[in-house]
Amino acid sequence: MSAEQSNHFPAINKAHVVDAIINAYRLQQPEPFQRGGTAFEQKCREDIAYHLDYLNMAADADAPEIFAEYSRWLRDVLNSRNVPARCVAFSYELLITHFANHHPEESVLLGNILEAGIQAIDDDKLPQVAQTLPANALEAEKFSLLISQGAREQSRNLYFDKLKQSSSLAQTNLDLLQPSLYEVGRRWQINQLSVAQEHMATAICQNLMAQGFGKVPFAANNGKRAVFAAVEGAQHALGIQMVADGFEEAGWACDFIGANTPLADLLVYLDREKPDLLGLSATLPVDIAQAKRMTAQIRAELGNSCPVIMVGGLTTNYLPRSWELTGADIWAVNAVEAIKESK
């Protein structure tokens, strides 16, 4: 949803829905608002807006499992911080009532998705994004502990030992960095790591990737050019940087643009550079809607000069149907597979 309106349901005004749910919440449970004041209300508004974003994407895909996964993730984040997840289920119930009363034509679809979210909050399944490391990932487990503790020298030694043994930089990053960072994210989710530790771990990995990039031999230039970027609004770009580095190692000329790439600027860049491939990263479920919007507009604006569009990212890995929603030409689960798919 945009700031004001749902993409999938143009008759539903997002701001009005948020106001209505806040008023209903305050009427039925006034105590938290009295105790928490303006700060509590603002946090509730932000949370309900997020619920609506994920609800819209699940409705657009007719895929309740997308909303269920979001709800499991949110449940675990809240529970690990001693915040009862039933407050989220209560807000879903208020949304069901609101849509039934004010948008009956959409209430069945939206109600079914919200019910899937309530069931997910009450079940005991782990969100797929939070699955633990595989049993044989001993190096990745050790590395994740080192980077989250800020052990830069030990992290560097382990990374370069792995790089010497590996067939490529892309394979090293896939085998060591990617699962380690997933584990760091999982440990933040269950409140075992702070945001500061998560950011430190990411910074250490970025530094090691840059050092590794300067040490590996590159394949001969294959005459192809690729541009890689995270979709507009997405702040996570380390994964797509791994992909860009892997492509350059494999002989492509690559431009890595980074996080939160404005569509208007990307269009100008693509029109000028005319790459063979555009790689877009969608890390969070809400990024899928942006990838869809960007893909459609890039095709419309560039016409026959539009590059092949590849999409990937964490969300597309644990919700495999989601990549199809973007309208991209191809999808890959990681950097190594992306290089194979693009040959």
Side-chain angles (χ1 to χ4, degrees), residues 88-105:
V88 177
F90 179 64
S91 67
Y92 290 179
E93 291 163 359
L94 293 176
L95 283 165
I96 291 171
T97 301
H98 175 83
F99 290 129
N101 291 337
H102 298 281
H103 300 281
E105 68 284 1

Side-chain angles (χ1 to χ4, degrees), residues 11 23 28 58 70 93 146 157 162-163 165-166 188 194 197 199 204 228 237 245 250 265 271 273 284 291 308 310-311:
N23 290 336
Q28 296 187 42
Y70 160 70
E93 291 163 359
L146 291 173
N157 291 340
K162 185 71 173 177
L163 185 59
Q165 301 164 11
S166 179
W188 169 83
S194 68
Q197 288 172 299
H199 287 186
I204 290 173
F228 295 96
D245 288 354
D265 294 323
D271 189 43
E273 300 298 329
L284 302 176
V308 172
M310 171 185 282
V311 69

Side-chain angles (χ1 to χ4, degrees), residues 59-173:
D60 201 29
D62 193 15
E65 65 268 25
I66 292 175
F67 195 74
E69 274 296 301
Y70 160 70
S71 300
R72 290 189 186 98
W73 173 85
L74 184 57
R75 173 202 66 197
D76 288 0
V77 169
L78 293 175
N79 285 344
S80 68
R81 290 155 176 81
N82 298 316
V83 178
R86 284 304 304 171
C87 66
V88 177
F90 179 64
S91 67
Y92 290 179
E93 291 163 359
L94 293 176
L95 283 165
I96 291 171
T97 301
H98 175 83
F99 290 129
N101 291 337
H102 298 281
H103 300 281
E105 68 284 1
E106 310 294 355
S107 63
V108 174
L109 174 59
L110 296 178
N112 287 340
I113 295 170
L114 288 160
E115 288 288 356
I118 293 171
Q119 291 173 18
I121 289 170
D122 292 335
D123 69 29
D124 58 358
K125 295 179 182 178
L126 277 175
Q128 293 183 52
V129 70
Q131 300 297 323
T132 55
L133 286 166
N136 61 349
L138 297 179
E139 284 182 317
E141 183 176 10
K142 179 180 179 181
F143 189 77
S144 72
L145 290 172
L146 291 173
I147 59 177
S148 62
Q149 293 166 355
R152 298 173 67 89
E153 183 175 357
Q154 292 169 282
S155 301
R156 183 168 56 250
N157 291 340
L158 180 53
Y159 180 77
F160 282 105
D161 285 346
K162 185 71 173 177
L163 185 59
K164 289 176 184 176
Q165 301 164 11
S166 179
S167 59
S168 67
L169 177 68
Q171 192 67 54
T172 300
N173 291 340

